[in-house]
Amino acid sequence: MDTDPLRSITQIKYNREGDLLFSVAKDTVVNAWYSVNGERLGTYNGHTGAVWCVDCDWDTKNVLTGSADNSCRLWDCETGKQLALLETSSAVRTCGFDFSGNIIMFSTDKQMGYQCFLNFFDLRDPQQIKDNQPYMTVPCSESKITSAVWGPLGDYVIAGHESGEMNQFSAKSGEVLKKIKEHTKQINDMQSSVDLTMVISASKDNTAKLFDSTTLDHIKTFKTERPVNSAAISPIMDHVVMGGGQEAMEVTTTSTRIGKFEARFFHAAYEEEFGRVKGHFGPINCVAFHPDGKSYSSGGEDGYVRIHYFDPHYFDFELEA
């Protein structure tokens, strides 16, 4: 699926059924695709800067996006109509619906004299939207949030920071419930398992790590030789997929022959790499498993979203102990 090869993909996200795949990139357009054949369903138009993040609620009613144009926007999934515009003082880096679809969170960048904030809105209260007044704003003065996901039951948000630390922020009080630092460098991406019991973090320190969502206990580490931009947990197998490459700045120094940027598959229990998929012409910025676990997608710096279906023998594969 070609979005526009000049616009690197920043995030891709399946809806809960997996029939739709949303992609956002460094252009201003939010795309919705049919995952089965890669046909474009439509676009959500209105942002005026790079779009950093996208999320979809559990019943595919609304879509949430955050952008470098200093806004977080809520869209009607089916019609593409903009339902809400939440303006911020700096770029919106990460956003998400809680499990109910009623509460949204988004974080803003530390830039131009503004510090990083984690904002919470209740969509059931139109006044909050109208006044652009979140019911809670949590300042993150030390290190900005680079990626965040909701914990189970919508009680808290698990945030990964530029410093490599992870925090659980209560969605009720805003206080930090738990704090850990397992990564030595910036966390680039965080994704939950399908049942929300686990979360995987991808970091610039060349590793991805698996954690228990509730306790933040560190369960596994997956090591590579280059920065990991994104990692996802399979919903049906004990597998994780990781995408990375070099820093965007360093890419020009290497040859761009036949798409040699690989998605890597690791066994979640043994921490062993067992497969790679080539194809992208630039670093892979985001990966996502289809909710049925039979395919996965990757979005690259090259502006392409690639959907890959697994061969039958993938499902019988057992790692030799």
Side-chain angles (χ1 to χ4, degrees):
M1 290 171 353
D2 176 12
T3 50
D4 169 0
L6 303 169
R7 304 284 177 208
S8 46
I9 308 292
T10 50
Q11 195 175 25
I12 54 177
K13 191 72 72 81
Y14 284 96
N15 64 346
R16 194 174 58 122
E17 288 75 29
D19 58 327
L20 296 182
L21 177 65
F22 299 91
S23 69
V24 291
K26 288 185 184 164
D27 59 5
T28 58
V29 185
V30 182
N31 288 300
W33 312 86
Y34 287 112
S35 65
V36 64
N37 58 6
E39 198 180 318
R40 184 152 63 177
L41 168 65
T43 59
Y44 304 89
N45 302 320
H47 278 298
T48 57
V51 187
W52 291 121
C53 53
V54 61
D55 195 24
C56 178
D57 59 5
W58 68 278
D59 55 359
T60 319
K61 206 169 80 204
N62 296 331
V63 177
L64 187 67
T65 55
S67 164
D69 66 7
N70 298 358
S71 77
C72 185
R73 296 175 197 233
L74 184 72
W75 313 84
D76 182 305
C77 182
E78 198 180 348
T79 63
K81 184 171 173 277
Q82 184 175 302
L83 302 175
L85 165 64
L86 305 166
E87 293 184 316
T88 57
S89 306
S90 55
V92 177
R93 178 63 52 181
T94 174
C95 65
F97 289 99
D98 79 335
F99 190 72
S100 69
N102 292 325
I103 312 281
I104 60 166
M105 64 85 182
F106 61 89
S107 77
T108 57
D109 272 357
K110 180 175 171 178
Q111 70 192 73
M112 298 184 299
Y114 293 99
Q115 63 177 6
C116 163
F117 288 102
L118 181 61
N119 297 300
F120 293 87
F121 279 87
D122 190 328
L123 299 176
R124 291 165 296 191
D125 178 4
Q127 204 58 43
Q128 288 180 24
I129 308 291
K130 197 165 152 255
D131 302 343
N132 199 14
Q133 216 35 60
Y135 76 79
M136 190 167 67
T137 295
V138 184
C140 309
S141 45
E142 288 153 40
S143 172
K144 81 164 191 183
I145 294 176
T146 45
S147 186
V149 291
W150 278 94
L153 304 174
D155 288 336
Y156 48 82
V157 165
I158 306 167
H161 295 255
E162 201 168 27
S163 59
E165 66 181 33
M166 279 163 70
N167 287 308
Q168 276 180 358
F169 292 100
S170 164
K172 311 276 183 289
S173 65
E175 65 188 311
V176 175
L177 304 173
K178 290 201 169 58
K179 183 182 208 160
I180 55 160
K181 188 169 188 300
E182 289 287 343
H183 285 291
T184 55
K185 289 184 179 164
Q186 172 174 316
I187 294 173
N188 290 325
D189 182 39
M190 308 249 305
Q191 292 192 35
S192 307
S193 58
V194 70
D195 60 2
L196 302 182
T197 57
M198 292 188 296
V199 56
I200 192 164
S201 57
S203 168
K204 226 180 202 173
D205 67 9
N206 301 3
T207 66
K209 290 177 188 274
L210 200 58
F211 297 91
D212 180 290
S213 302
T214 314
T215 62
L216 286 193
D217 287 341
H218 173 220
I219 309 170
K220 299 283 175 188
T221 296
F222 310 99
K223 295 188 179 76
T224 68
E225 318 76 61
R226 42 178 69 126
V228 185
N229 293 336
S230 184
I233 305 167
S234 166
I236 58 166
M237 307 286 277
D238 288 328
H239 295 167
V240 300
V241 62
M242 289 156 55
Q246 303 132 298
E247 289 295 296
M249 279 84 107
E250 297 161 22
V251 172
T252 44
T253 59
T254 58
S255 70
T256 52
R257 61 170 191 276
I258 329 133
K260 63 174 177 50
F261 289 88
E262 299 161 323
R264 301 170 167 223
F265 286 81
F266 280 76
H267 194 285
Y270 304 127
E271 303 176 324
E272 295 272 329
E273 184 180 348
F274 66 85
R276 293 186 181 190
V277 179
K278 286 191 172 65
H280 280 285
F281 294 93
I284 295 171
N285 291 339
C286 44
V287 288
F289 272 102
H290 188 290
D292 69 8
K294 293 176 183 166
S295 61
Y296 85 96
S297 293
S298 53
E301 191 72 27
D302 56 7
Y304 288 91
V305 177
R306 300 173 64 93
I307 299 182
H308 301 261
Y309 285 85
F310 296 117
D311 305 325
H313 71 254
Y314 165 86
F315 303 101
D316 314 323
F317 173 75
E318 286 296 330
L319 211 62
E320 282 78 44

